[in-house]
Amino acid sequence: MLEDVLNDLRTGIEKSIEALRRDLTRVRTGRAHAGMLDGVRVDYYGVPTPIQQMATVSVPEPRLITIKPWEKNQVKAVDKAIRESDLNLNPQVDADLIRIPIPALTEDRRKEMVKLTKKYGEEARVAIRKHRRDANELVDTLDKDGEVSGDDADRAKKKIEEVVAEGIKQVDGVIAHKEKDILEV
């Protein structure tokens, strides 16, 4: 029973770290990558659609993204969606191809990106601490119901703390790596 609690805790921590990595793909570094456009939705016949589901997105150069919609009449809709996003990008339409030059980040913008990265990291830590609280409550319930002994419950709580510490260490590593990418000129 206690092993199930620990497995659930590990699974929850893994999901929190994956969510953090997914959030961090949207944070700009100095280089272009197709993941920057993940949050952009295009009005595709009345349905908000991710760009990747209606166009070919490629990165031919470190500071350029190209988008080629599969339907030529969607070029204006894609252009409009990118301009209205909070990415501060200025797409250039060339017939049926959209070029998005990625400007170099200013020092202030880099600092904003680092703050955003730290915010995402703190959200992940909060999620991990919530999983810890849930696991501890389950162990307490099992202890009260007499399903496990007090000593086993204490050992399980120590193991929970070790697993949580390892999860938070992983989050710190992911955040440090992303900050290094952002601050690299």
Side-chain angles (χ1 to χ4, degrees), residues 1-10 135 138-143 145-149 152-153 156 160:
M1 200 65 181
L2 292 175
E3 198 57 42
D4 292 341
V5 172
L6 287 171
N7 287 337
D8 289 347
L9 175 65
R10 286 185 187 103
L138 274 171
V139 169
D140 288 341
T141 302
L142 292 173
D143 190 17
D145 293 346
E147 293 184 38
V148 295
S149 68
D152 287 343
I160 288 170

Side-chain angles (χ1 to χ4, degrees), residues 137-177:
E137 287 173 0
L138 274 171
V139 169
D140 288 341
T141 302
L142 292 173
D143 190 17
K144 283 180 189 169
D145 293 346
E147 293 184 38
V148 295
S149 68
D151 290 342
D152 287 343
D154 290 341
R155 278 192 289 278
K157 285 186 178 184
K158 283 182 184 171
K159 186 69 176 164
I160 288 170
E161 288 302 319
E162 290 171 13
V163 171
V164 167
E166 181 60 34
I168 289 179
K169 188 175 165 186
Q170 280 183 298
V171 167
D172 292 343
V174 170
I175 295 300
H177 181 70

Side-chain angles (χ1 to χ4, degrees), residues 30-47:
R31 295 180 300 276
H33 61 91
M36 293 171 64
L37 303 173
D38 284 351
V40 179
R41 299 285 185 257
V42 180
D43 183 30
Y44 187 63
Y45 299 111
V47 178

Side-chain angles (χ1 to χ4, degrees), residues 36-180:
M36 293 171 64
L37 303 173
D38 284 351
V40 179
R41 299 285 185 257
V42 180
D43 183 30
Y44 187 63
Y45 299 111
V47 178
T49 308
I51 291 176
Q52 288 83 349
Q53 292 182 9
M54 58 182 292
T56 303
V57 179
S58 61
V59 184
E61 300 172 23
R63 296 215 181 269
L64 180 70
I65 297 175
T66 59
I67 302 171
K68 185 170 173 72
W70 298 326
E71 293 181 32
K72 291 181 181 177
N73 61 350
Q74 292 298 316
V75 171
K76 285 188 175 80
V78 172
D79 177 51
K80 180 181 177 200
I82 294 168
R83 287 182 191 278
E84 291 175 352
S85 72
D86 61 349
L87 295 174
N88 297 327
L89 296 174
N90 191 17
Q92 300 163 350
V93 177
D94 182 21
D96 62 341
L97 184 72
I98 301 170
R99 289 185 174 85
I100 307 172
I102 306 297
L105 292 174
T106 63
E107 191 61 33
D108 290 340
R109 190 76 173 131
R110 286 181 194 277
K111 288 178 182 174
E112 285 177 35
M113 293 297 148
V114 168
K115 281 183 188 175
L116 184 62
T117 300
K118 288 184 178 186
K119 179 182 147 244
Y120 285 140
E122 187 55 35
E123 287 172 3
R125 286 186 202 95
V126 167
I128 289 172
R129 289 192 290 264
K130 181 186 174 297
H131 291 300
R132 173 180 58 194
R133 187 184 66 233
D134 293 345
N136 281 332
E137 287 173 0
L138 274 171
V139 169
D140 288 341
T141 302
L142 292 173
D143 190 17
K144 283 180 189 169
D145 293 346
E147 293 184 38
V148 295
S149 68
D151 290 342
D152 287 343
D154 290 341
R155 278 192 289 278
K157 285 186 178 184
K158 283 182 184 171
K159 186 69 176 164
I160 288 170
E161 288 302 319
E162 290 171 13
V163 171
V164 167
E166 181 60 34
I168 289 179
K169 188 175 165 186
Q170 280 183 298
V171 167
D172 292 343
V174 170
I175 295 300
H177 181 70
K178 187 65 174 188
E179 283 180 23
K180 183 176 157 254

